[in-house]
Amino acid sequence: MATTLITGTNRGIGLEYVRQYAKDGWQVIACCRQPAKAENLNRLATQYPDHIRIYALDVADHQQIDQLSRSLANETIDLLINNAGVYPPSDDGGFGSIDYTGWTNTFQINTMAPLKMAEAFVNQISNSSLKTIATITSKMGSIADNQRGGSYIYRSSKAAVNIVAKSLAIDLRTRDIISVLLHPGWVKTDMGGPDALISTEQSVTGMRQVLRGITLADSGKFFAYDGQIIPW
């Protein structure tokens, strides 16, 4: 039975990943900052008690990441989904009004955490069958696609994590580990807002379809939820 570890599972895309993988019989290691307050996640765990385990994890805290890895040292993790991310409200300020402290905090979560997760769990991933790391990014991190400017903090954090995932694809190839980037689309979540185009179910279903079809030859690629390749 395959196992996935997913970060940021208390709501939105992360929660939908948990639901779909548990429904399909996967073992799901669901991580979020405050499990006691994650009502929907706990409800899912009650519905699928044999498939969902919940762990407290703040991905900005590297000590917590290392501690979780040690506690899961004997696990095999087929699929690591780096889903946790933030879109800082301070990013609305635009040029001349940048919150530089907020920028640092955003980089800790959106950019540094996925690399730290890969470093901490590389052995568990390497010992699995699927050997896959999927990092949820955004088309807003595409330099070629940027036609509107602004959103300096979010755009730069996602462009940076794109290069992190690309380097992982190169550095971990000798261990047959796949590293891919996934753009979930404009999704109706707390981050995406009510005017977004697709539901979390549509987004996650699409991204899972992409993940089912990838091979080591696809490592380092940047996919949209519908399977299209996104330009860097």
Side-chain angles (χ1 to χ4, degrees):
M1 186 178 295
T3 298
T4 179
L5 188 158
I6 309 167
T7 62
T9 59
N10 59 305
R11 64 186 183 185
I13 291 170
L15 182 67
E16 181 63 18
Y17 264 123
V18 173
R19 187 189 71 80
Q20 290 196 22
Y21 276 116
K23 183 179 179 182
D24 284 354
W26 283 53
Q27 290 295 309
V28 180
I29 301 169
C31 302
C32 64
R33 285 185 299 166
Q34 297 177 302
K37 296 182 178 181
E39 295 181 5
N40 292 331
L41 179 59
N42 284 300
R43 194 174 298 117
L44 265 183
T46 301
Q47 185 178 353
Y48 298 100
D50 297 329
H51 294 281
I52 299 173
R53 288 173 287 162
I54 302 174
Y55 291 88
L57 180 65
D58 180 348
V59 296
D61 187 332
H62 291 188
Q63 289 186 341
Q64 277 194 33
I65 293 175
D66 286 333
Q67 183 178 358
L68 181 61
S69 178
R70 287 192 294 269
S71 70
L72 299 173
N74 295 323
E75 300 273 350
T76 56
I77 297 173
D78 292 274
L79 172 61
L80 167 63
I81 301 179
N82 286 312
N83 169 71
V86 294
Y87 189 105
S90 57
D91 214 17
D92 294 337
F95 181 78
S97 302
I98 301 299
D99 177 356
Y100 285 90
T101 299
W103 199 345
T104 300
N105 294 337
T106 300
F107 256 71
Q108 287 180 326
I109 297 169
N110 289 1
T111 308
M112 298 179 194
L115 178 57
K116 179 59 182 177
M117 290 292 294
E119 290 177 327
F121 289 95
V122 66
N123 290 330
Q124 293 95 322
I125 297 165
S126 183
N127 290 331
S128 75
S129 296
L130 299 181
K131 305 179 193 296
T132 302
I133 301 171
T135 299
I136 308 303
T137 182
S138 172
K139 192 162 67 171
M140 289 182 71
S142 164
I143 295 172
D145 188 71
N146 184 1
Q147 304 298 320
R148 298 179 62 184
S151 299
Y152 291 93
I153 296 175
Y154 187 72
R155 286 188 189 278
S156 62
S157 72
K158 290 302 186 179
V161 83
N162 290 352
I163 204 65
V164 164
K166 174 64 175 180
S167 287
L168 283 175
I170 297 167
D171 294 341
L172 301 181
R173 179 173 285 270
T174 57
R175 302 180 73 164
D176 293 331
I177 293 176
I178 300 168
S179 170
V180 293
L181 291 150
L182 297 174
H183 166 60
W186 188 14
V187 188
K188 294 177 182 178
T189 63
D190 289 349
M191 185 184 295
D195 296 329
L197 300 178
I198 61 173
S199 67
T200 55
E201 183 176 2
Q202 290 173 295
S203 174
V204 171
T205 297
M207 289 188 285
R208 288 185 62 211
Q209 181 65 31
V210 171
L211 290 172
R212 278 192 289 269
I214 62 172
T215 67
L216 192 60
D218 297 308
S219 195
K221 292 182 180 179
F222 186 179
F223 292 98
Y225 75 98
D226 59 1
Q228 297 296 310
I229 295 291
I230 294 179
W232 296 100

